[in-house]
Amino acid sequence: MSFNLDLVATYFSSLSCRLGPKTATNLYQRTSKTAYKQHNRLYSASAPGSVPLSKQKYVPTSGTYPKGFLASGIHVGVKPSNTQFPDLALLTSLTPCSGAAVFTKNKFQAAPVTISRRILERRSGEGVRAIIVNSGCANAVTGKGGLDDATAMGSTVDSCLARSEGPPAGASTTLVMSTGVIGQRLPISKILRAIPNAYSALSSTHTDWLLAARAICTTDTFPKLLSRTFSLPSSPGITYSLAGMTKGAGMIHPNMATLLGMLFTDAPIPAKTLQPLLAHAINRSFNAISVDGDTSTNDTLAFLANGAAGGRPITSSDSEDGRAITEIITSFTQELSQLVVRDGEGATKFVRVRVINASSFHDARKIASTIARSPLVKTALYGKDANWGRILCAIGYTDGLRLGAVVPEKTSVSFVPTDGSTALKLLVKGEPESVDEARAGKILEQEDLEILVDLGGGEGGGGKEEASYWFCDFSHVSTVLDYTHTQDILTPYGLPYDELFSASFLGLLRMSSQ
């Protein structure tokens, strides 16, 4: 993502009275050049709309998509600066679907969240036909007008569907999602005029699914789309398909959903089974990732199942089919959600923290979450510093644990390389190991890493539960400017470089990457 130097200039314009306009301008040009070189997002695309070379391996070149579902992604220009890229996605089913969703717990919930939740409640999760998504504007904190806009988007899709089938009975059959800048109204007339075009462009091809995935992106550097096939114990002769897309690179921390996401399957799953199935999977996937610790106003993840492939309906998650589909969906959502972490703003590492031998899943998940969102852990990983004390610190201050969940004398911590080599033990049952710093450095040079925390069963010793979290490192603040080089620039003018690194200036730099 490009670095907005206009915002950085604000700081230096304040120096004009002290140094004179020409000198302040010269300092701005020299220092901001350093900021740009070091702060510009790692792995960022070389041109607008292009995918960085390091991320191209995550973009599928083909896919197998669920029967009866169609997709499109078209350009509308929701943001005036977007003159060519898709920013309106439409996904529909030829037949009514069971629907389920999880939504943000942020108290400032966007209008599409309110409208989509209302539709699912009124329809009891049945009879859903479509999802319409715009990027470029979140339609969040926009009052009654924002609610009207979200309703109008859904109603316009309903009208397109009604051309061949008649109007829907009862509530709207279209879920609505938006993502982008908070606090601004949608260019709703422009969007409503474009929806029929999106409807006309619907197709089942891989290209159109990928265009839809691209249309929901904001700061993402690549579209996030997955598909796979599977079978169920009761219908071994039927091949079912599952597809999913998501978006997100910043403002990522779980609290029901996280960002935007959509799942689609042609398996027969009634709504009463679909909702708990989704909740289980999300708690172990999209609710187990973190980039920057911020929970969005728009977080929504919806799941539609149309049953078009046939077979016996899955009426219970405790049945053989229910257990099988739960495992399939959980694994799929984990893989899909991890793409968000790999695209994290400012990220250079993909890290899994796995907590094992805990007295409960709740405790394991709490500890993993605390480690994943620790700024000290994240910056140490960026700096390739095997400072395992920061990991222990995060374990120790984790809130909400049951009594006896953590026993220092039973706790072990290791770095597990992803190349299959032996784990590097850092702490074993409360005793520090003599760490091979050279090997630790080589492990931390890799893009992927696992941190393994073994709680030794907790106080009672019998704990066998485990949980994982996936997160990335922090590079934003630690790479904003080269302290030494910047000091060389500023000192001759009597400016302490500490002034440049004030909280306000760091905040300004971080704002400019939004």
Side-chain angles (χ1 to χ4, degrees):
M1 178 182 299
S2 61
F3 195 70
N4 190 335
L5 296 179
D6 290 338
L7 287 174
V8 180
T10 302
Y11 169 79
F12 288 94
S13 66
S14 68
L15 301 178
S16 295
C17 294
R18 200 186 326 178
L19 303 176
K22 289 184 178 180
T23 301
T25 299
N26 177 264
L27 284 175
Y28 158 68
Q29 292 172 341
R30 294 171 62 191
T31 310
S32 61
K33 185 180 294 184
T34 303
Y36 179 85
K37 287 179 179 178
Q38 298 189 22
H39 182 82
N40 199 32
R41 186 174 168 191
L42 192 67
Y43 305 140
S44 61
S46 57
S50 64
V51 176
L53 288 175
S54 63
K55 305 292 182 66
Q56 289 179 4
K57 59 188 175 184
Y58 302 121
V59 181
T61 56
S62 63
T64 305
Y65 299 100
K67 296 178 180 66
F69 282 102
L70 304 173
S72 69
I74 68 168
H75 170 257
V76 175
V78 175
K79 289 180 69 173
S81 58
N82 176 16
T83 60
Q84 57 180 313
F85 303 116
D87 54 2
L88 186 69
L90 177 61
L91 298 109
T92 70
S93 172
L94 297 175
T95 56
C97 303
S98 300
V102 285
F103 300 99
T104 183
K105 288 187 176 177
N106 191 306
K107 290 182 173 57
F108 289 94
Q109 298 189 359
V113 170
T114 300
I115 296 302
S116 294
R117 180 188 286 113
R118 186 180 299 166
I119 289 169
L120 286 172
E121 290 174 350
R122 289 179 176 176
R123 301 196 69 87
S124 299
E126 299 291 356
V128 180
R129 289 291 307 279
I131 302 176
I132 182 76
V133 191
N134 76 271
S135 61
C137 178
N139 191 11
V141 198
T142 47
K144 183 180 181 301
L147 293 171
D148 293 340
D149 291 345
T151 300
M153 287 175 65
S155 298
T156 304
V157 175
D158 291 337
S159 296
C160 292
L161 293 168
R163 291 175 187 171
S164 58
E165 303 163 26
S172 172
T173 63
T174 302
L175 304 183
V176 183
M177 301 183 191
S178 297
T179 180
V181 179
I182 296 170
Q184 296 181 5
R185 289 286 299 276
L186 290 168
I188 192 61
S189 297
K190 184 187 292 187
I191 292 173
L192 298 183
R193 286 195 303 270
I195 287 176
N197 297 333
Y199 183 77
S200 298
L202 287 169
S203 168
S204 60
T205 67
H206 170 70
T207 297
D208 286 289
W209 279 86
L210 195 59
L211 281 171
R214 175 64 182 86
I216 69 175
C217 293
T218 50
T219 60
D220 309 63
T221 65
F222 67 95
K224 301 165 181 67
L225 174 68
L226 289 178
S227 65
R228 70 172 53 163
T229 59
F230 63 94
S231 60
L232 294 171
S234 68
S235 308
I238 298 178
T239 298
Y240 295 103
S241 296
L242 173 64
M245 64 181 69
T246 187
K247 61 80 54 184
M251 201 176 285
I252 306 298
H253 188 72
N255 204 354
M256 276 304 166
T258 312
L259 47 109
L260 298 185
M262 291 162 279
L263 305 175
F264 307 89
T265 186
D266 50 18
I269 313 174
K272 67 175 184 179
T273 307
L274 198 64
Q275 185 66 48
L277 190 162
L278 179 63
H280 176 93
I282 295 307
N283 210 30
R284 290 158 177 79
S285 57
F286 281 90
N287 270 0
I289 62 171
S290 186
V291 170
D292 49 26
D294 283 350
T295 300
S296 167
T297 55
N298 290 54
D299 297 348
T300 303
L301 197 144
F303 192 180
L304 301 187
N306 65 7
R312 184 186 305 170
I314 305 172
T315 57
S316 171
S317 57
D318 293 329
S319 65
E320 189 177 18
D321 280 355
R323 290 189 293 272
I325 194 70
T326 297
E327 184 176 338
I328 290 165
I329 299 301
T330 300
S331 172
F332 184 83
T333 54
Q334 285 177 345
E335 186 178 351
L336 186 61
S337 67
Q338 288 166 27
L339 294 177
V340 176
V341 179
R342 291 194 179 279
D343 202 22
E345 290 183 357
T348 71
K349 283 184 172 55
F350 174 83
V351 188
R352 177 189 185 185
V353 55
R354 188 159 67 102
V355 179
I356 64 174
N357 295 322
S359 54
S360 71
F361 173 75
H362 166 86
D363 291 336
R365 188 172 181 278
K366 278 279 189 181
I367 291 170
S369 172
T370 303
I371 294 170
R373 69 173 187 266
S374 165
L376 290 181
V377 171
K378 292 159 83 74
T379 51
L381 291 173
Y382 172 76
K384 305 176 181 63
D385 181 3
N387 191 341
W388 52 267
R390 296 185 176 188
I391 299 171
L392 279 191
C393 180
I395 296 170
Y397 67 66
T398 302
D399 288 331
L401 299 180
R402 294 176 173 84
L403 188 64
V406 176
V407 179
E409 296 78 13
K410 291 185 175 183
T411 302
S412 302
V413 178
S414 304
F415 284 159
V416 181
T418 55
D419 60 6
S421 59
T422 307
L424 179 65
K425 296 180 180 179
L426 307 171
L427 182 77
V428 177
K429 295 183 178 179
E431 295 291 334
E433 293 288 289
S434 179
V435 178
D436 183 341
E437 295 293 342
R439 181 158 185 256
K442 288 183 179 179
I443 292 173
L444 292 173
E445 284 285 347
Q446 302 302 309
E447 182 179 345
D448 288 18
L449 170 70
E450 178 179 312
I451 298 172
L452 179 64
V453 176
D454 187 341
L455 297 179
E459 188 173 54
K464 298 294 182 183
E465 296 293 327
E466 69 172 82
S468 292
Y469 240 77
W470 293 268
F471 68 102
C472 57
D473 56 349
F474 265 164
S475 68
H476 280 6
V477 174
S478 57
T479 62
V480 170
L481 292 171
D482 177 342
Y483 278 55
T484 303
H485 182 62
T486 304
Q487 187 175 22
D488 290 342
I489 295 174
L490 299 181
T491 299
Y493 297 92
L495 295 173
Y497 69 86
D498 286 2
E499 179 177 338
L500 188 59
F501 291 95
S502 66
S504 60
F505 184 62
L506 291 178
L508 184 64
L509 291 176
R510 296 191 70 183
M511 281 171 55
S512 67
S513 72
Q514 298 295 312

